Amino acid sequence: MEHPEGGEGALEAGAHLIGSPGSNYIANALSTHKSLEAAIADVHGRGALGKYSSCEPMLGLLDHHGVHRAETYRSVLEGATAALIDRIQNKTSPMPHNKLLQLLEVSFQFIKLPELRAIPLAVLGELNPVPAARLKQISDDAELFESLPSTVQHQVWEVNSQLLRRHAMPSLRAFTQETATTMHALDMDLILAPLPNSNLKQQTKPLPTLPRSKLRSGSPSLQTLMNMVIKSRKLYVEMCKFVRQYYGEKGDPAICALRSQLLMALHDSGQAAELCAHDPTHKLAWCLDACWRDKRMEDRRLKELRTFLDGVQAMQPAAKSHKPRSLHKRAARGAAG
C-alpha cells in the first residue's frame, strides 16, 4: 500500500489537517491509497481523537447514543476555542506578551477560516503594538480589516494613511449633508427688510437653535471621525490634513467647519485632553464656540482672539505681512465654522 509521505499533498512537520494543507493531504490520500478504508484510516490516524487512548471510552459512549462524529468534533472545537479565548482575554492574569506573540505566529495562518478566526482576532486585540508585518498583511485585506477590533484598526491606520483616508472620506462627504450641519447653518438671525412706505422698523426673527455640543453629538459622521482618531495624536494630525486637503479641493464652508467641530467634539468627549492640548487652534476654537453659545462676545474674549490672531500673523512670512485683515478673517471664519 502506498502512503502519502512526501511529494505533493504531504504534510510538513508540525502541520495540521486544517485549511489548504489538510485538504491537499486528504485529496492525496484518497488518490494514492488502494482502498477508501485505507485512506480513511490514514487520515483518522493523523487527526482523529480516537488515537488518544483517553478519548476512546467517551467516543464509544457517544457513538452508542447516536451522536455523529462530526457533531462531536464540532463541539470539542467550540469548547477548546472558547477556553483559549478566555485565557487570552483574562485581565486578572494576563497572558505574557511573548506568549501572545507565539500564539499569533501559529494561529494567524488560520485567520480566514471562520471556525478558527476568533483565536487570532482575540490575540490581535490584546497586542499593542501588533507586529508591523502583520499590520501590513491586514491592511491588504479589506474584508479582514472590517472584522478587527477597533484598537487594531487604529494601529493599521497609523501605518497606512491612505487606508485611513479611504475609510474617512465617506464621513467627510456625509458631514455637509447631515441635519446637524444644516441646523448649524440655519443658526443665525433672519433679516426681514421693512415693506415700502411702512413705519415698521427692520426686525429679526430668530430661527430654532440647538447647543453646538448637541449638534456635534448628533452628527453621525462627526462621531465616526472622532472615534477614528480619539486614541492617537498621529491619526488626528492625519485627519486634519485630509480635512484641509478636501476643503482645498471643494471649497465647501461646511468642510472648513469640520476642522473646528472635530476638535471641539474631542473636547466635548472628555477623553482627549492631550490631543486638544497639542492642537494650537484649540484655544481659538473653544473661545469662538463659547461666544457662539452665549450669543455675545465679551471684551475678554475679544482680547483672547486678538492675542491668538496676532500670534498667527507673527508666524507668517514677511511677504504676506501686507494682508493682515485677510488672515484674521480666514482664521476666525475657519475656527467658528
Side-chain angles (χ1 to χ4, degrees), residues 10-39:
L11 284 177
E12 297 180 1
H16 305 281
L17 292 176
I18 303 174
S20 295
S23 298
N24 292 337
Y25 184 89
I26 293 172
N28 191 47
L30 292 171
S31 64
T32 56
H33 283 286
K34 293 183 178 179
S35 67
L36 178 62
E37 292 76 11

PDB file of all heavy atoms in Angstrom, residues 10-39:
ATOM      1  N   ALA A  10       1.866  16.090   0.874  1.00  0.00           N
ATOM      2  CA  ALA A  10       2.475  15.693   2.135  1.00  0.00           C
ATOM      3  C   ALA A  10       2.416  16.832   3.133  1.00  0.00           C
ATOM      4  O   ALA A  10       2.477  17.999   2.777  1.00  0.00           O
ATOM      5  CB  ALA A  10       3.925  15.272   1.910  1.00  0.00           C
ATOM      6  N   LEU A  11       2.270  16.480   4.411  1.00  0.00           N
ATOM      7  CA  LEU A  11       2.232  17.484   5.473  1.00  0.00           C
ATOM      8  C   LEU A  11       3.633  17.768   5.965  1.00  0.00           C
ATOM      9  O   LEU A  11       4.428  16.857   6.199  1.00  0.00           O
ATOM     10  CB  LEU A  11       1.386  16.988   6.654  1.00  0.00           C
ATOM     11  CG  LEU A  11      -0.145  17.017   6.486  1.00  0.00           C
ATOM     12  CD1 LEU A  11      -0.801  16.427   7.720  1.00  0.00           C
ATOM     13  CD2 LEU A  11      -0.629  18.431   6.254  1.00  0.00           C
ATOM     14  N   GLU A  12       3.939  19.038   6.152  1.00  0.00           N
ATOM     15  CA  GLU A  12       5.214  19.410   6.743  1.00  0.00           C
ATOM     16  C   GLU A  12       5.188  19.085   8.231  1.00  0.00           C
ATOM     17  O   GLU A  12       4.131  18.925   8.839  1.00  0.00           O
ATOM     18  CB  GLU A  12       5.475  20.905   6.529  1.00  0.00           C
ATOM     19  CG  GLU A  12       5.596  21.312   5.072  1.00  0.00           C
ATOM     20  CD  GLU A  12       5.846  22.797   4.921  1.00  0.00           C
ATOM     21  OE1 GLU A  12       5.939  23.479   5.962  1.00  0.00           O
ATOM     22  OE2 GLU A  12       5.946  23.264   3.782  1.00  0.00           O
ATOM     23  N   ALA A  13       6.361  19.036   8.825  1.00  0.00           N
ATOM     24  CA  ALA A  13       6.455  18.745  10.246  1.00  0.00           C
ATOM     25  C   ALA A  13       5.686  19.798  11.036  1.00  0.00           C
ATOM     26  O   ALA A  13       5.857  20.996  10.824  1.00  0.00           O
ATOM     27  CB  ALA A  13       7.920  18.726  10.685  1.00  0.00           C
ATOM     28  N   GLY A  14       4.841  19.356  11.958  1.00  0.00           N
ATOM     29  CA  GLY A  14       4.080  20.272  12.790  1.00  0.00           C
ATOM     30  C   GLY A  14       2.820  20.810  12.129  1.00  0.00           C
ATOM     31  O   GLY A  14       2.062  21.544  12.751  1.00  0.00           O
ATOM     32  N   ALA A  15       2.563  20.437  10.855  1.00  0.00           N
ATOM     33  CA  ALA A  15       1.367  20.915  10.165  1.00  0.00           C
ATOM     34  C   ALA A  15       0.149  20.118  10.620  1.00  0.00           C
ATOM     35  O   ALA A  15       0.257  19.036  11.198  1.00  0.00           O
ATOM     36  CB  ALA A  15       1.551  20.799   8.660  1.00  0.00           C
ATOM     37  N   HIS A  16      -1.024  20.680  10.375  1.00  0.00           N
ATOM     38  CA  HIS A  16      -2.270  20.061  10.813  1.00  0.00           C
ATOM     39  C   HIS A  16      -3.191  19.868   9.623  1.00  0.00           C
ATOM     40  O   HIS A  16      -3.033  20.489   8.576  1.00  0.00           O
ATOM     41  CB  HIS A  16      -2.957  20.953  11.859  1.00  0.00           C
ATOM     42  CG  HIS A  16      -2.082  21.292  13.020  1.00  0.00           C
ATOM     43  ND1 HIS A  16      -1.835  20.428  14.056  1.00  0.00           N
ATOM     44  CD2 HIS A  16      -1.383  22.430  13.304  1.00  0.00           C
ATOM     45  CE1 HIS A  16      -1.023  21.000  14.936  1.00  0.00           C
ATOM     46  NE2 HIS A  16      -0.729  22.211  14.500  1.00  0.00           N
ATOM     47  N   LEU A  17      -4.175  18.998   9.801  1.00  0.00           N
ATOM     48  CA  LEU A  17      -5.151  18.743   8.744  1.00  0.00           C
ATOM     49  C   LEU A  17      -6.196  19.858   8.728  1.00  0.00           C
ATOM     50  O   LEU A  17      -7.393  19.624   8.938  1.00  0.00           O
ATOM     51  CB  LEU A  17      -5.817  17.383   8.954  1.00  0.00           C
ATOM     52  CG  LEU A  17      -4.930  16.156   8.765  1.00  0.00           C
ATOM     53  CD1 LEU A  17      -5.694  14.886   9.105  1.00  0.00           C
ATOM     54  CD2 LEU A  17      -4.422  16.075   7.332  1.00  0.00           C
ATOM     55  N   ILE A  18      -5.737  21.079   8.487  1.00  0.00           N
ATOM     56  CA  ILE A  18      -6.599  22.264   8.504  1.00  0.00           C
ATOM     57  C   ILE A  18      -6.301  23.086   7.267  1.00  0.00           C
ATOM     58  O   ILE A  18      -5.145  23.200   6.851  1.00  0.00           O
ATOM     59  CB  ILE A  18      -6.350  23.120   9.770  1.00  0.00           C
ATOM     60  CG1 ILE A  18      -6.574  22.287  11.030  1.00  0.00           C
ATOM     61  CG2 ILE A  18      -7.257  24.344   9.785  1.00  0.00           C
ATOM     62  CD1 ILE A  18      -6.197  23.019  12.304  1.00  0.00           C
ATOM     63  N   GLY A  19      -7.331  23.677   6.698  1.00  0.00           N
ATOM     64  CA  GLY A  19      -7.126  24.577   5.574  1.00  0.00           C
ATOM     65  C   GLY A  19      -6.587  23.864   4.351  1.00  0.00           C
ATOM     66  O   GLY A  19      -6.804  22.656   4.143  1.00  0.00           O
ATOM     67  N   SER A  20      -5.840  24.603   3.545  1.00  0.00           N
ATOM     68  CA  SER A  20      -5.323  24.052   2.284  1.00  0.00           C
ATOM     69  C   SER A  20      -4.400  22.856   2.482  1.00  0.00           C
ATOM     70  O   SER A  20      -4.522  21.851   1.769  1.00  0.00           O
ATOM     71  CB  SER A  20      -4.601  25.149   1.498  1.00  0.00           C
ATOM     72  OG  SER A  20      -5.514  26.156   1.115  1.00  0.00           O
ATOM     73  N   PRO A  21      -3.437  22.902   3.461  1.00  0.00           N
ATOM     74  CA  PRO A  21      -2.582  21.722   3.653  1.00  0.00           C
ATOM     75  C   PRO A  21      -3.379  20.469   3.993  1.00  0.00           C
ATOM     76  O   PRO A  21      -3.090  19.378   3.483  1.00  0.00           O
ATOM     77  CB  PRO A  21      -1.660  22.142   4.814  1.00  0.00           C
ATOM     78  CG  PRO A  21      -1.634  23.631   4.751  1.00  0.00           C
ATOM     79  CD  PRO A  21      -3.012  24.029   4.319  1.00  0.00           C
ATOM     80  N   GLY A  22      -4.404  20.629   4.841  1.00  0.00           N
ATOM     81  CA  GLY A  22      -5.224  19.476   5.195  1.00  0.00           C
ATOM     82  C   GLY A  22      -6.017  18.949   4.017  1.00  0.00           C
ATOM     83  O   GLY A  22      -6.107  17.726   3.798  1.00  0.00           O
ATOM     84  N   SER A  23      -6.595  19.875   3.242  1.00  0.00           N
ATOM     85  CA  SER A  23      -7.367  19.462   2.056  1.00  0.00           C
ATOM     86  C   SER A  23      -6.476  18.731   1.057  1.00  0.00           C
ATOM     87  O   SER A  23      -6.873  17.708   0.476  1.00  0.00           O
ATOM     88  CB  SER A  23      -8.000  20.696   1.397  1.00  0.00           C
ATOM     89  OG  SER A  23      -8.902  21.329   2.271  1.00  0.00           O
ATOM     90  N   ASN A  24      -5.272  19.258   0.854  1.00  0.00           N
ATOM     91  CA  ASN A  24      -4.343  18.625  -0.089  1.00  0.00           C
ATOM     92  C   ASN A  24      -3.938  17.234   0.383  1.00  0.00           C
ATOM     93  O   ASN A  24      -3.817  16.296  -0.423  1.00  0.00           O
ATOM     94  CB  ASN A  24      -3.107  19.507  -0.275  1.00  0.00           C
ATOM     95  CG  ASN A  24      -3.423  20.805  -0.998  1.00  0.00           C
ATOM     96  OD1 ASN A  24      -4.418  20.895  -1.717  1.00  0.00           O
ATOM     97  ND2 ASN A  24      -2.579  21.805  -0.811  1.00  0.00           N
ATOM     98  N   TYR A  25      -3.718  17.096   1.689  1.00  0.00           N
ATOM     99  CA  TYR A  25      -3.302  15.797   2.214  1.00  0.00           C
ATOM    100  C   TYR A  25      -4.401  14.758   2.028  1.00  0.00           C
ATOM    101  O   TYR A  25      -4.151  13.619   1.601  1.00  0.00           O
ATOM    102  CB  TYR A  25      -2.934  15.910   3.688  1.00  0.00           C
ATOM    103  CG  TYR A  25      -2.407  14.608   4.252  1.00  0.00           C
ATOM    104  CD1 TYR A  25      -1.051  14.315   4.195  1.00  0.00           C
ATOM    105  CD2 TYR A  25      -3.270  13.672   4.810  1.00  0.00           C
ATOM    106  CE1 TYR A  25      -0.562  13.103   4.680  1.00  0.00           C
ATOM    107  CE2 TYR A  25      -2.799  12.458   5.291  1.00  0.00           C
ATOM    108  CZ  TYR A  25      -1.436  12.183   5.233  1.00  0.00           C
ATOM    109  OH  TYR A  25      -0.962  10.982   5.696  1.00  0.00           O
ATOM    110  N   ILE A  26      -5.635  15.150   2.342  1.00  0.00           N
ATOM    111  CA  ILE A  26      -6.758  14.215   2.220  1.00  0.00           C
ATOM    112  C   ILE A  26      -6.958  13.813   0.755  1.00  0.00           C
ATOM    113  O   ILE A  26      -7.174  12.639   0.442  1.00  0.00           O
ATOM    114  CB  ILE A  26      -8.037  14.844   2.801  1.00  0.00           C
ATOM    115  CG1 ILE A  26      -7.883  15.015   4.325  1.00  0.00           C
ATOM    116  CG2 ILE A  26      -9.253  13.993   2.484  1.00  0.00           C
ATOM    117  CD1 ILE A  26      -9.011  15.793   4.974  1.00  0.00           C
ATOM    118  N   ALA A  27      -6.881  14.811  -0.143  1.00  0.00           N
ATOM    119  CA  ALA A  27      -7.035  14.500  -1.570  1.00  0.00           C
ATOM    120  C   ALA A  27      -5.943  13.554  -2.033  1.00  0.00           C
ATOM    121  O   ALA A  27      -6.194  12.617  -2.807  1.00  0.00           O
ATOM    122  CB  ALA A  27      -7.000  15.805  -2.376  1.00  0.00           C
ATOM    123  N   ASN A  28      -4.724  13.760  -1.551  1.00  0.00           N
ATOM    124  CA  ASN A  28      -3.611  12.897  -1.929  1.00  0.00           C
ATOM    125  C   ASN A  28      -3.789  11.493  -1.369  1.00  0.00           C
ATOM    126  O   ASN A  28      -3.501  10.489  -2.043  1.00  0.00           O
ATOM    127  CB  ASN A  28      -2.306  13.509  -1.440  1.00  0.00           C
ATOM    128  CG  ASN A  28      -1.082  12.808  -2.026  1.00  0.00           C
ATOM    129  OD1 ASN A  28      -1.015  12.570  -3.231  1.00  0.00           O
ATOM    130  ND2 ASN A  28      -0.121  12.483  -1.175  1.00  0.00           N
ATOM    131  N   ALA A  29      -4.301  11.422  -0.124  1.00  0.00           N
ATOM    132  CA  ALA A  29      -4.527  10.104   0.487  1.00  0.00           C
ATOM    133  C   ALA A  29      -5.572   9.316  -0.288  1.00  0.00           C
ATOM    134  O   ALA A  29      -5.420   8.108  -0.534  1.00  0.00           O
ATOM    135  CB  ALA A  29      -4.961  10.287   1.944  1.00  0.00           C
ATOM    136  N   LEU A  30      -6.635   9.997  -0.692  1.00  0.00           N
ATOM    137  CA  LEU A  30      -7.696   9.322  -1.448  1.00  0.00           C
ATOM    138  C   LEU A  30      -7.210   8.834  -2.809  1.00  0.00           C
ATOM    139  O   LEU A  30      -7.704   7.830  -3.338  1.00  0.00           O
ATOM    140  CB  LEU A  30      -8.894  10.261  -1.623  1.00  0.00           C
ATOM    141  CG  LEU A  30      -9.668  10.596  -0.349  1.00  0.00           C
ATOM    142  CD1 LEU A  30     -10.684  11.698  -0.621  1.00  0.00           C
ATOM    143  CD2 LEU A  30     -10.380   9.349   0.189  1.00  0.00           C
ATOM    144  N   SER A  31      -6.258   9.533  -3.378  1.00  0.00           N
ATOM    145  CA  SER A  31      -5.789   9.171  -4.718  1.00  0.00           C
ATOM    146  C   SER A  31      -4.643   8.165  -4.701  1.00  0.00           C
ATOM    147  O   SER A  31      -4.389   7.505  -5.713  1.00  0.00           O
ATOM    148  CB  SER A  31      -5.353  10.430  -5.482  1.00  0.00           C
ATOM    149  OG  SER A  31      -4.241  11.034  -4.842  1.00  0.00           O
ATOM    150  N   THR A  32      -3.965   8.023  -3.591  1.00  0.00           N
ATOM    151  CA  THR A  32      -2.787   7.141  -3.566  1.00  0.00           C
ATOM    152  C   THR A  32      -3.028   5.820  -2.847  1.00  0.00           C
ATOM    153  O   THR A  32      -2.383   4.816  -3.173  1.00  0.00           O
ATOM    154  CB  THR A  32      -1.599   7.859  -2.901  1.00  0.00           C
ATOM    155  OG1 THR A  32      -1.978   8.293  -1.589  1.00  0.00           O
ATOM    156  CG2 THR A  32      -1.167   9.066  -3.725  1.00  0.00           C
ATOM    157  N   HIS A  33      -3.940   5.770  -1.872  1.00  0.00           N
ATOM    158  CA  HIS A  33      -4.219   4.507  -1.185  1.00  0.00           C
ATOM    159  C   HIS A  33      -5.043   3.593  -2.086  1.00  0.00           C
ATOM    160  O   HIS A  33      -5.846   4.060  -2.921  1.00  0.00           O
ATOM    161  CB  HIS A  33      -4.963   4.755   0.132  1.00  0.00           C
ATOM    162  CG  HIS A  33      -4.068   5.258   1.229  1.00  0.00           C
ATOM    163  ND1 HIS A  33      -3.171   4.446   1.886  1.00  0.00           N
ATOM    164  CD2 HIS A  33      -3.938   6.494   1.772  1.00  0.00           C
ATOM    165  CE1 HIS A  33      -2.525   5.162   2.807  1.00  0.00           C
ATOM    166  NE2 HIS A  33      -2.969   6.407   2.757  1.00  0.00           N
ATOM    167  N   LYS A  34      -4.890   2.320  -1.895  1.00  0.00           N
ATOM    168  CA  LYS A  34      -5.548   1.354  -2.758  1.00  0.00           C
ATOM    169  C   LYS A  34      -7.029   1.204  -2.445  1.00  0.00           C
ATOM    170  O   LYS A  34      -7.796   0.717  -3.281  1.00  0.00           O
ATOM    171  CB  LYS A  34      -4.854  -0.008  -2.640  1.00  0.00           C
ATOM    172  CG  LYS A  34      -3.433   0.002  -3.192  1.00  0.00           C
ATOM    173  CD  LYS A  34      -2.805  -1.373  -3.116  1.00  0.00           C
ATOM    174  CE  LYS A  34      -1.396  -1.370  -3.724  1.00  0.00           C
ATOM    175  NZ  LYS A  34      -0.757  -2.710  -3.645  1.00  0.00           N
ATOM    176  N   SER A  35      -7.417   1.592  -1.246  1.00  0.00           N
ATOM    177  CA  SER A  35      -8.838   1.475  -0.893  1.00  0.00           C
ATOM    178  C   SER A  35      -9.263   2.704  -0.093  1.00  0.00           C
ATOM    179  O   SER A  35      -8.443   3.393   0.521  1.00  0.00           O
ATOM    180  CB  SER A  35      -9.095   0.215  -0.064  1.00  0.00           C
ATOM    181  OG  SER A  35      -8.462   0.328   1.210  1.00  0.00           O
ATOM    182  N   LEU A  36     -10.580   2.961  -0.129  1.00  0.00           N
ATOM    183  CA  LEU A  36     -11.126   4.095   0.626  1.00  0.00           C
ATOM    184  C   LEU A  36     -10.925   3.888   2.114  1.00  0.00           C
ATOM    185  O   LEU A  36     -10.610   4.833   2.853  1.00  0.00           O
ATOM    186  CB  LEU A  36     -12.624   4.255   0.305  1.00  0.00           C
ATOM    187  CG  LEU A  36     -13.361   5.373   1.059  1.00  0.00           C
ATOM    188  CD1 LEU A  36     -12.770   6.741   0.714  1.00  0.00           C
ATOM    189  CD2 LEU A  36     -14.852   5.342   0.713  1.00  0.00           C
ATOM    190  N   GLU A  37     -11.081   2.655   2.573  1.00  0.00           N
ATOM    191  CA  GLU A  37     -10.916   2.366   4.004  1.00  0.00           C
ATOM    192  C   GLU A  37      -9.503   2.694   4.462  1.00  0.00           C
ATOM    193  O   GLU A  37      -9.290   3.211   5.566  1.00  0.00           O
ATOM    194  CB  GLU A  37     -11.235   0.895   4.293  1.00  0.00           C
ATOM    195  CG  GLU A  37     -12.689   0.502   4.127  1.00  0.00           C
ATOM    196  CD  GLU A  37     -13.106   0.367   2.679  1.00  0.00           C
ATOM    197  OE1 GLU A  37     -12.204   0.365   1.797  1.00  0.00           O
ATOM    198  OE2 GLU A  37     -14.330   0.272   2.416  1.00  0.00           O
ATOM    199  N   ALA A  38      -8.517   2.373   3.619  1.00  0.00           N
ATOM    200  CA  ALA A  38      -7.125   2.658   3.979  1.00  0.00           C
ATOM    201  C   ALA A  38      -6.874   4.162   4.057  1.00  0.00           C
ATOM    202  O   ALA A  38      -6.163   4.653   4.950  1.00  0.00           O
ATOM    203  CB  ALA A  38      -6.190   2.024   2.956  1.00  0.00           C
ATOM    204  N   ALA A  39      -7.472   4.920   3.115  1.00  0.00           N
ATOM    205  CA  ALA A  39      -7.307   6.372   3.128  1.00  0.00           C
ATOM    206  C   ALA A  39      -7.932   6.971   4.378  1.00  0.00           C
ATOM    207  O   ALA A  39      -7.350   7.858   5.031  1.00  0.00           O
ATOM    208  CB  ALA A  39      -7.931   6.973   1.864  1.00  0.00           C
TER     209      ALA A  39
END
